């Protein structure tokens, strides 16, 4: 189906938040930033936005703070052979076409830069924890099987992956694993294939990956079972690839306000500044990861290992570890109040079952 490129236009005074909506509705995985005369100022992709957020930009910042001002562009005098080389070298998927005044007059698909590998990626969901923070709810039911929105948490997660085109899921199970396996079976009724990584002892959020039957050909998505989100996982996979990362961690912005005036003093005990109730902003681990296949080779069988430890080992080995900011809906339902909040928000985010 031919897409109307004009639906992917964004004015230079638009916010990053507004342009995210333009990217989603335009269907081109990209927005084209133009001035009032229609001249192309730059392009912006989902990855450009994530990198801008890591640099400290906010969702209400102008899109010009996130855009690429030097995209691959087809002009009237462009050498087509050189254009093709740029498409391949820079992995361009959409090529804006401009006239001699740089006014955007069309967009061409760049098939050489388009890759469709995300759906071959295996998914591993860590579903073996005790759920001790949710006790006594988890006394008789494992945390992944607690209901939200009329179905188990894990069913929402699995169904989300199926809807996004993933076909192979591994569930790492331990506590009350029979309840999980009996419910999900081979995964066929959810539209994908499910296998189980059975932990005889709890191996942590990374150690269980050593139970995979073989090293996959593609990067894998790894996710905790107590996270509900509507992010598009192929965007995270694409970000991981473009960063050249061995491992990518989804991160979430977390604000913490100090309830007092913070006083800064010098070595002579003189007050230098007073900051009244400042807010500190952090990125926190969102419990979603993309790992390249070679990462599995450093895992040891039956050794407990958590994801932060794995990322630290990779950094010590000089391998690239990247952060992928999550700006979509995300909630960790590991505590009772968050479980109740997710129940109230479920239909709005995920629809009715």
């Amino acid at each position: 189906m031919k897409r109307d490129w004009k639906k992917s236009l964004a004015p230079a005074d638009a916010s990053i938040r507004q342009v995210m909506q333009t990217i989603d509705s335009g269907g081109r995985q990209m927005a084209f930033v133009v001035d009032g005369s229609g001249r192309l100022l730059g392009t912006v992709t989902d990855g450009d936005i994530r990198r801008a957020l890591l640099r400290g930009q906010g969702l209400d910042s102008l899109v010009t703070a996130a855009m690429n001002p030097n995209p691959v562009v087809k002009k009237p005098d462009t050498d087509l052979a050189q254009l093709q080389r740029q498409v391949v070298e820079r992995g361009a998927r959409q090529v804006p076409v401009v006239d001699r005044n740089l006014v955007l007059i069309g967009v061409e698909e760049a098939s050489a830069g388009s890759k469709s590998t995300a759906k071959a990626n295996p998914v591993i969901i860590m579903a073996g924890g005790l759920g001790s923070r949710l006790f006594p709810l988890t006394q008789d039911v494992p945390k992944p099987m607690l209901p939200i929105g009329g179905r188990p948490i894990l069913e929402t997660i699995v169904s989300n992956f199926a809807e996004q085109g993933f076909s192979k899921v591994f569930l790492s199970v331990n506590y009350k694993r029979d309840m999980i396996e009996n419910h999900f079976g081979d995964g066929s009724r959810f539209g994908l294939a499910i296998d189980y990584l059975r932990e005889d002892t709890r191996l942590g959020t990374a150690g269980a990956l050593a139970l995979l039957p073989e090293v996959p050909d593609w990067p894998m998505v790894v996710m905790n079972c107590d996270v509900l989100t509507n992010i598009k996982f192929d965007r995270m996979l694409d970000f991981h690839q473009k960063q050249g990362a061995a491992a990518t961690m989804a991160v979430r912005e977390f604000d913490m306000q100090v309830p007092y005036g913070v006083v800064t003093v010098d070595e002579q005990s003189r007050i230098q500044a007073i900051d009244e109730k400042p807010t500190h902003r952090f990125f926190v681990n969102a419990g979603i990861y993309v790992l390249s296949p070679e990462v599995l080779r450093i895992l040891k069988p039956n050794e407990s290992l958590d994801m932060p430890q794995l990322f630290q080992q990779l950094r010590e080995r000089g391998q690239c570890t990247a952060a992928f900011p999550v700006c979509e809906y995300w909630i960790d339902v590991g505590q009772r109040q968050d479980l109740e909040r997710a129940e109230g928000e479920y239909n709005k985010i995920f629809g009715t079952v």
Side-chain angles (χ1 to χ4, degrees):
M1 182 178 68
K2 189 174 182 180
R3 295 183 294 268
D4 183 0
W5 59 270
K6 293 181 181 179
K7 293 182 179 179
S8 298
L9 296 181
D13 60 355
S15 69
I16 290 176
R17 187 191 309 274
Q18 291 169 326
V19 174
M20 287 181 67
Q21 296 172 350
T22 300
I23 292 173
D24 284 339
S25 61
R28 286 184 172 271
Q29 301 181 316
M30 176 181 288
F32 307 95
V33 184
V34 296
D35 65 13
S37 301
R39 287 180 297 180
L40 181 70
L41 301 178
T43 60
V44 60
T45 65
D46 183 82
D48 292 329
I49 289 173
R50 311 280 174 176
R51 285 183 284 271
L53 295 177
L54 289 174
R55 295 195 301 268
Q57 299 295 333
L59 290 176
D60 294 320
S61 299
L62 291 178
V63 68
T64 49
M67 76 178 186
N68 172 15
N70 297 300
V72 176
V73 175
K74 183 178 180 181
K75 303 176 182 178
D77 57 353
T78 295
D79 179 271
L80 295 182
Q82 182 180 6
L83 178 65
Q84 182 64 19
R85 285 195 296 271
Q86 290 180 317
V87 165
V88 174
E89 290 170 359
R90 296 170 63 174
R93 297 185 178 184
Q94 311 280 337
V95 177
V97 181
V98 299
D99 64 14
R100 296 188 184 279
N101 296 315
L102 300 182
V103 173
L104 185 62
I105 58 175
V107 176
E108 293 183 0
E109 301 278 350
S111 58
S114 178
K115 298 179 181 179
S116 180
T117 61
K119 307 317 177 193
N121 303 80
V123 174
I124 301 94
I125 303 172
M126 297 300 171
L130 293 174
S132 54
R133 292 182 298 169
L134 287 170
F135 191 85
L137 296 179
T138 52
Q139 181 174 355
D140 299 315
V141 179
K143 178 170 61 175
M145 299 302 294
L146 291 174
I148 296 180
R151 60 178 175 177
I153 299 168
L154 186 55
E155 185 173 323
T156 294
I157 296 173
V158 168
S159 297
N160 192 17
F161 278 109
E163 289 168 7
Q164 294 191 35
F166 293 86
S167 59
K168 183 62 179 179
V169 169
F170 293 91
L171 301 180
S172 176
V173 293
N174 178 263
Y175 179 64
K176 297 187 180 298
R177 67 190 186 196
D178 289 347
M179 293 182 66
I180 297 173
E181 294 183 21
N182 290 339
H183 183 84
F184 289 95
D186 64 2
S188 57
R189 71 186 181 95
F190 300 99
L192 39 67
I194 293 179
D195 278 327
Y196 298 89
L197 308 178
R198 299 179 176 92
E199 301 178 55
D200 294 326
T201 59
R202 286 184 290 279
L203 298 174
T205 51
L209 297 175
L211 298 175
L212 285 168
E214 59 184 3
V215 176
D217 295 325
W218 303 101
M220 67 206 86
V221 179
V222 183
M223 183 172 175
N224 294 348
C225 72
D226 54 5
V227 169
L228 288 177
T229 182
N230 62 356
I231 72 169
K232 301 293 189 292
F233 293 101
D234 56 351
R235 292 180 178 178
M236 187 172 176
L237 286 159
D238 187 57
F239 184 92
H240 172 84
Q241 179 184 10
K242 289 184 176 179
Q243 293 296 116
T248 296
M249 176 188 293
V251 296
R252 182 74 175 177
E253 196 173 88
F254 178 79
D255 294 343
M256 183 171 63
Q257 185 177 43
V258 179
Y260 308 103
V262 174
V263 181
T264 303
V265 299
D266 63 16
E267 294 178 355
Q268 286 76 41
S269 299
R270 295 168 180 161
I271 294 176
Q272 299 298 302
I274 303 175
D275 192 1
E276 189 65 27
K277 298 180 180 179
T279 297
H280 296 282
R281 186 160 293 169
F282 307 93
F283 282 116
V284 298
N285 184 354
I288 308 168
Y289 316 89
V290 172
L291 303 178
S292 292
E294 63 269 18
V295 170
L296 296 183
R297 303 188 191 282
I298 73 173
L299 300 178
K300 298 178 181 178
N302 300 314
E303 180 179 77
S304 179
L305 186 71
D306 284 324
M307 278 294 179
Q309 295 172 293
L310 176 60
F311 273 73
Q312 181 60 30
Q313 288 184 18
L314 292 169
R315 291 180 65 250
E316 290 171 354
R317 291 166 176 256
Q319 294 181 267
C320 175
T321 54
F324 176 82
V326 175
C327 37
E328 297 86 350
Y329 180 82
W330 176 94
I331 187 170
D332 179 332
V333 293
Q335 299 191 56
R336 184 69 173 263
Q337 63 267 30
D338 297 314
L339 194 72
E340 294 170 354
R341 176 185 154 200
E343 179 69 47
E345 298 170 342
Y346 188 91
N347 288 346
K348 178 180 178 182
I349 303 300
F350 301 102
T352 57
V353 178

